[in-house]
Amino acid sequence: MSKRAMQTPVISDEIVVSRIHTVRGHKVMLDSDLAELYQVETRVLNQAVKRNSRRFPEDFMFEMTPEEWEILISQNVTSSWGGRRKLPLVFTEQGVAMLSSVLNSATAIDVNIQ
């Protein structure tokens, strides 16, 4: 086993699946959940996306509406998302794959492969 593989924490499939939501008919993950998985701050993830906005068309990533956010929160009785200043960005499967190319970290690449 490679040294790098031993250092990367294994994230269970159950954890990843539990963070997938359906919004606008797409299976998506929240920016904050992806930031946690990739071990970066949400702010850092969103800045990388903003700097590379051409790589994230709307079928890769979009911002939730206030109504969509309220529905998502209400579906999760024990919300750990707390107060947010901005509505979350959500990423489709293609957007999640694109994140590994804009986040320059071994963890982002390893999580994406997993």
Side-chain angles (χ1 to χ4, degrees):
M1 184 180 281
S2 74
K3 192 174 172 182
R4 184 172 163 205
M6 291 187 326
Q7 293 173 343
T8 303
V10 175
I11 299 164
S12 74
D13 291 342
E14 293 80 24
I15 290 173
V16 173
V17 169
S18 73
R19 294 177 183 204
I20 297 173
H21 309 283
T22 302
V23 178
R24 299 182 199 172
H26 298 281
K27 291 182 185 245
V28 298
M29 292 185 74
L30 296 170
D31 55 0
S32 55
D33 289 337
L34 287 164
E36 184 180 335
L37 292 174
Y38 290 156
Q39 299 178 354
V40 298
E41 293 179 39
T42 304
R43 169 185 64 80
V44 170
L45 183 143
N46 288 335
Q47 285 173 345
V49 170
K50 189 174 184 179
R51 280 193 308 271
N52 295 279
S53 61
R54 290 189 62 221
R55 293 177 181 252
F56 295 93
E58 191 155 320
D59 56 335
F60 281 32
M61 181 265 325
F62 55 89
E63 184 176 63
M64 294 181 78
T65 65
E67 295 81 14
E68 290 166 337
W69 181 233
E70 286 300 320
I71 290 167
L72 190 62
I73 290 173
S74 70
Q75 291 172 352
N76 294 279
V77 178
T78 56
S79 173
S80 61
W81 295 321
R84 291 183 63 121
R85 293 182 191 177
K86 296 181 178 182
L87 292 167
L89 299 178
V90 293
F91 295 83
T92 64
E93 186 176 353
Q94 295 90 347
V96 172
M98 186 62 73
L99 276 174
S100 69
S101 70
V102 300
L103 289 175
N104 238 351
S105 79
T107 301
I109 293 166
D110 291 342
V111 168
N112 189 15
I113 289 169
Q114 184 182 357

